[in-house]
Amino acid sequence: MSGDLGAGKTTLARGILRGLGYEGKVKSPTYNLIELYKISRLYFYHFDFYRFNDPIEWEEAGFREYFNADAVCLVEWPEKAGGLLPRADLQFFFHITETDRNVEIQANTEAGRRCLEHWQALSSP
Ligand SMILES: Nc1ncnc2c1ncn2[C@@H]1O[C@H](COP(=O)(O)OP(=O)(O)OP(=O)(O)O)[C@@H](O)[C@H]1O
Ligand SMILES: [Mg+2]
């Protein structure tokens, strides 16, 4: 999830978790860098890499092992990890204009495309 400070990344993450049935508090991972949610059999990790000053800090934090096929990883400020992060299935680009807010969603993989198609089917009448 990419976009300026306050663009709405955490707010959308909260909505996604609500949509998955999580009813507890959804904190911004700004200070802890990571928040874990166990939803049914799903491991859902919410990261915020804003505080990293150098991509090497991402490597040293040991976060690479979280990015595996059993987990959903949602990342705010992915650019702070430089090119070290694996390719995202979906990328979200948040924009705030003078009159509204919008988000552009890009699928980069087959899994991402399937997810987006499913989402579109759910939201069309
Ligand atoms: N679609 C929206 N409409 C109105 N207000 C919104 C919307 N999305 C987010 N906000 C408000 O904007 C503020 C910042 O949102 P949020 O914390 O989601 O931003 P963020 O992109 O995660 O920022 P950061 O980069 O600091 O983590 C919050 O007060 C939130 O309620
Ligand atoms: Mg945030």
Side-chain angles (χ1 to χ4, degrees):
M1 293 187 157
S2 302
D4 288 343
L5 283 169
K9 301 177 293 296
T10 299
T11 302
L12 183 57
R14 206 168 270 136
I16 291 171
L17 281 157
R18 289 277 178 268
L20 287 168
Y22 181 78
E23 291 175 354
K25 191 167 157 49
V26 177
K27 286 195 292 180
S28 170
T30 311
Y31 297 102
N32 294 339
L33 304 181
I34 176 172
E35 296 288 341
L36 161 67
Y37 301 91
K38 183 86 175 69
I39 301 162
S40 180
R41 279 168 305 165
L42 179 75
Y43 287 98
F44 188 107
Y45 300 106
H46 182 190
F47 296 96
D48 186 333
F49 297 148
Y50 184 72
R51 295 199 303 153
F52 286 156
N53 296 312
D54 189 308
I56 203 70
E57 293 177 50
W58 177 79
E59 196 71 74
E60 286 169 354
F63 285 146
R64 189 180 286 278
E65 64 185 289
Y66 290 91
F67 289 78
N68 63 65
D70 297 326
V72 172
C73 293
L74 195 156
V75 180
E76 299 185 36
W77 294 99
E79 19 324 82
K80 296 279 192 164
L84 297 177
L85 281 184
R87 183 163 66 148
D89 294 301
L90 291 173
Q91 272 177 292
F92 295 71
F93 301 96
F94 290 74
H95 309 279
I96 301 187
T97 70
E98 275 180 20
T99 51
D100 62 3
R101 294 165 181 263
N102 58 64
V103 59
E104 189 183 322
I105 309 173
Q106 179 181 313
N108 295 325
T109 65
E110 190 47 41
R113 268 185 289 280
R114 280 202 306 275
C115 183
L116 210 49
E117 277 170 16
H118 183 62
W119 200 348
Q120 278 168 330
L122 284 176
S123 52
S124 55

